[in-house]
Amino acid sequence: MEAGVEELMPRLLPVGDWDLAEDFDPTVPPRTPQEYLKRVQIEAARCPDVVVAKIDPRKLKKKQTVNISISGCQPAPEGYSPTLRWQQQQVANFSAVRQSLNKHRNHWRSQHLDSNVIMPKSEDEEGWKKFCLGERVYSEIDALPNNENIGIDYIKVGFPPLLSIVSRMNQATVTSVLEYLVSWFGEKKFTPELGRWLYALLACLEKPLLPEAHSLIRQLARRCSEVRVLEENKNEEQISALNLIICLVSRYFDQRDLADEPS
């Protein structure tokens, strides 16, 4: 090493002077600790002062950074803050749903899906949005033609989070789909289709949470509080659904700083 470098990086272990022999073979394992340290010193001396990494941008996944905000939720409008008893009951119900899902997961996973149920690949964001929300919500169509003779067209109205479907989703897929729907919700209105899937995906999340999931559910709770404040008609059913998601994130998944103050 150069003298200037040694001043900045002093030797922590004593290594005697080493003569770079022509027969030095780095592939031969060192026989003594001293020989190992000398080989490390030789390799370090051969490293360039500056190294530039060659990165292929195409191989980088989008949204790699996980941002965890510590900001809380907006308070519920007057008269719509849930009671503590109600929140405790929802947590108990949710816990029972999770236990039942885990207990019977293998059974539901073995059930055959209908021929029209084609689950998108984990990385297919647009495919999952259409699958969960349906063409009506995804394309923001106010109404679809009502044809009672053909039954329910799940392609148009979205597939519900059936146990036979969610039981087939591993944790990576659960987190990915949750990310897609939370991202969608960040710019769109709350709908019953969205609410059902958010509840089901939260029920499938394993604890302890991974950092990505932790960030997502906090983002979800804050978005629910924003939509709740902006709810002009004070739709009681929708307010209750938003309260439920905030309750589960804050009280079941231990994000207590996001919890609603009991009314």
Side-chain angles (χ1 to χ4, degrees):
M1 290 187 180
E2 297 179 1
V5 176
E6 286 197 351
E7 290 178 2
L8 295 175
M9 301 174 60
R11 296 179 182 179
L12 298 181
L13 294 173
V15 182
D17 293 334
W18 178 256
D19 187 13
L20 294 177
E22 295 182 358
D23 61 349
F24 173 70
D25 185 0
T27 62
V28 177
R31 292 165 293 183
T32 65
Q34 291 76 14
E35 184 176 346
Y36 168 76
L37 293 174
K38 290 177 182 178
R39 288 171 186 255
V40 171
Q41 187 182 47
I42 293 171
E43 292 176 1
R46 290 177 175 176
C47 292
D49 294 334
V50 178
V51 178
V52 179
K54 296 181 180 179
I55 300 175
D56 184 356
R58 295 171 299 180
K59 295 183 179 180
L60 294 178
K61 294 183 178 179
K62 63 179 181 178
K63 300 179 182 177
Q64 293 188 83
T65 304
V66 176
N67 296 316
I68 300 178
S69 174
I70 60 174
S71 61
C73 290
Q74 298 189 30
E78 185 177 355
Y80 282 91
S81 179
T83 65
L84 180 59
R85 182 183 180 87
W86 182 88
Q87 294 183 64
Q88 292 172 337
Q89 185 61 54
Q90 302 313 311
V91 169
N93 294 343
F94 183 70
S95 179
V97 168
R98 285 172 59 91
Q99 291 177 12
S100 178
L101 177 60
N102 290 331
K103 181 178 181 180
H104 302 291
R105 184 182 300 275
N106 290 335
H107 166 75
W108 288 109
R109 185 183 296 162
S110 65
Q111 301 302 302
H112 294 292
L113 295 175
D114 292 341
S115 59
N116 64 330
V117 182
I118 302 177
M119 297 174 61
K121 294 183 179 180
S122 180
E123 65 275 11
D124 184 2
E125 180 172 353
E126 300 306 311
W128 273 109
K129 288 176 182 177
K130 293 179 181 179
F131 184 87
C132 298
L133 305 175
E135 289 288 350
R136 180 180 64 83
V137 174
Y138 180 82
S139 303
E140 297 184 282
I141 301 173
D142 291 335
L144 292 172
N146 185 16
N147 190 338
E148 298 180 356
N149 295 327
I150 63 174
I152 299 176
D153 186 345
Y154 288 112
I155 301 298
K156 294 182 179 180
V157 301
F159 289 92
L162 303 174
L163 289 172
S164 55
I165 293 177
V166 297
S167 294
R168 285 174 162 79
M169 300 169 65
N170 58 29
Q171 281 300 290
T173 301
V174 169
T175 304
S176 294
V177 177
L178 182 61
E179 178 182 3
Y180 303 151
L181 296 184
V182 170
S183 175
W184 167 273
F185 186 32
E187 300 177 354
K188 307 293 183 179
K189 62 183 180 181
F190 185 85
T191 67
E193 296 86 354
L194 177 63
R196 285 192 290 267
W197 269 98
L198 291 175
Y199 186 94
L201 293 171
L202 290 177
C204 292
L205 275 182
E206 294 179 357
K207 295 177 72 174
L209 295 175
L210 295 175
E212 310 94 278
H214 179 265
S215 175
L216 282 171
I217 65 171
R218 290 183 62 85
Q219 182 181 343
L220 172 60
R222 290 194 300 272
R223 176 57 179 164
C224 286
S225 71
E226 294 171 359
V227 173
R228 182 176 60 182
V229 170
L230 298 175
E231 179 60 39
E232 297 179 355
N233 299 325
K234 296 296 182 289
N235 183 316
E236 187 171 348
E237 184 176 345
Q238 178 158 310
I239 292 290
S240 180
L242 296 170
N243 284 347
L244 174 59
I245 294 176
I246 295 171
C247 169
L248 297 180
V249 169
S250 61
R251 298 192 180 275
Y252 184 86
F253 290 103
D254 302 317
Q255 307 302 307
R256 296 307 174 96
D257 61 305
L258 302 180
D260 282 316
E261 293 296 329
S263 59

